[in-house]
Amino acid sequence: RSPGPAKRLGSSGTPKARTHSPATEMAPPPPAPTPAARLLREYGWDLMLGSIAAFYAVMVPYTKVEESFNVQAMHDILYHNHHIEKYDHLEFPGVVPRTFIGALVIAILSSPAVLIIRVFHVPKIYSLLAVRLVLGCVILTTLRLFRVEVKRKFGRHVEAFFVVLTAIQFHVLFYSTRPLPNILALALVNLAYSFWFKGNYLRTLQALIVAAVVFRCDMILLLGTIGAALLLSRSFSLMEAIKCCISTALLCIGFTVLVDSIMWQRILWPEFEVFWFNSVLNRSSEWGTHSIHWYFTSALPRSMLVAYPLCLVGALLDRRIVPYVLPVTLFVVLYSKLPHKELRFIIAAVPMLNVSASLAANRLYNNRKKSGWNFLYVLMLGAFLASLGYSAVSFMASYSNYPGGHALKALHEADSSMKEKVLHIDVLTAMSGVSRFCENEYPWRYVTTYKSTKFIVKC
């Protein structure tokens, strides 16, 4: 073997020590991120979406007739507790009964804040804001679980576009704090989507069953399309699906019948009565009808904005999303058969369609420096700004859409005398912003029936 290279010797004949320049020395490790930086990295997207939703709730605190049952139920649970005979729904039951389970959960979660409000005699409108913010936290928490699975499956850039698209859309975040049965069901649908992406398919079915049996019977359409897709892909056997669905449904039926029979003081399953009224009797059409294509030509374009064309492109560019988007789209198709249509009925489809749109936006972003793609990327950015402008206009329109609430607030501010005052709340006022949460303490007293009004006028 040939000898190795000889060592360089110094003047004394000893081996010369090897020196290192500062440039060749190992760089020191980067400093550890601060707790604030770690918090922002972990929850920054949630803080952004939560801030927008909270802004909508603070600026537009009032609720309308569609939300009246859950709003009054939460008020009565928080202020009347176990005195069910004082509850609003016994005097004004509405067209169809609704479950108390969602209102009960939100009322329990918001009870510490409402207790502080009551102790310091803060106006009850702040209690309404508290329950709405708690509801928004629940919805955005389930949306976070779905977003985390989007990041795990498609990457952080797709996650970022998913959040940005959700932020510039008006309806999802505006509705996220509104106590509608559709929004309570949306929490479980978001949970089902996260289970679906995670590969926990039976949990997906269970979350959708709870949503359909307890909160919105129309979620059975989404359960059917997703369940059929999972069966066709052999994600589970037919017997496993049957056992899972039957056991979960029976538990949910038993629970909702138990709770709601106590609250309504008669034996009933609320969502079955809703299903019978809307689907079997088709009585919902008495509140207006739309054409069969309305969801695809009006509701989805208005709610998704730039994400609407992008979701179509995303399904073409990335076939991984097709097995997820197709059942959700079929859900909207099936729902289109019902003549009475509202945007909130299909709002559960928007988060999944936004994922497809995020994939398209991510592809345009990655290819933005290539010829031809750069123009499409600039066009997409312009569409983002246009969507943001549309959402701002929608917010301003919604701000002025609660004349009853604004009128009652103006009346309270205009008359500050301590003389007892009796105020009648008519139907239009109650439908356009006024709820029990808007009522002040003494010297104000409120009546909502014409019989009571005649008595007061006579006196």
Side-chain angles (χ1 to χ4, degrees), residues 15 81 125 199 214 226 262 321 449:
N81 306 126
I125 188 65
V214 177
I226 293 178
I262 295 173
I321 197 62
T449 62

Coordinates of all heavy atoms in Angstrom, one line a residue, residues 15 81 125 199 214 226 262 321 449:
P15 N 4.5 18.3 13.8 CA 3.4 18.5 12.9 C 2.7 19.9 13.1 O 2.5 20.3 14.2 CB 2.4 17.4 13.3 CG 3.3 16.4 13.9 CD 4.3 17.1 14.6
N81 N -83.6 28.7 33.5 CA -83.1 27.4 34.0 C -84.1 26.3 33.9 O -84.6 26.0 32.8 CB -82.5 27.6 35.4 CG -81.5 28.7 35.5 OD1 -81.7 29.7 36.3 ND2 -80.5 28.7 34.7
I125 N -78.0 42.0 25.7 CA -77.6 41.9 24.4 C -76.1 41.3 24.3 O -75.7 40.6 23.4 CB -77.6 43.3 23.6 CG1 -77.3 43.1 22.1 CG2 -76.7 44.3 24.3 CD1 -78.3 42.3 21.4
G199 N -59.2 8.7 7.1 CA -59.4 7.3 6.8 C -60.2 6.6 7.8 O -60.3 5.4 7.8
V214 N -80.4 14.4 14.8 CA -80.6 15.4 15.9 C -80.8 16.8 15.3 O -81.8 17.4 15.8 CB -79.4 15.4 16.8 CG1 -79.6 16.4 17.9 CG2 -79.2 14.0 17.4
I226 N -72.1 10.0 0.6 CA -70.8 9.7 1.1 C -70.7 8.2 1.5 O -69.7 7.5 1.2 CB -70.4 10.6 2.3 CG1 -70.2 12.0 1.9 CG2 -69.1 10.0 3.0 CD1 -69.9 13.0 3.0
I262 N -89.0 16.1 27.2 CA -89.1 16.9 28.5 C -89.3 18.3 28.2 O -90.1 19.0 28.8 CB -87.8 16.6 29.3 CG1 -87.7 15.2 29.7 CG2 -87.7 17.6 30.5 CD1 -86.4 14.8 30.4
I321 N -58.8 14.6 -5.4 CA -59.9 15.2 -4.7 C -61.3 14.7 -5.3 O -62.3 14.9 -4.6 CB -59.8 16.8 -4.8 CG1 -60.7 17.5 -3.8 CG2 -60.2 17.2 -6.2 CD1 -60.4 17.2 -2.4
T449 N -98.1 39.5 22.6 CA -99.4 39.1 22.1 C -100.4 40.2 22.0 O -100.3 41.2 22.8 CB -100.0 38.0 23.1 OG1 -100.2 38.6 24.4 CG2 -99.1 36.8 23.3

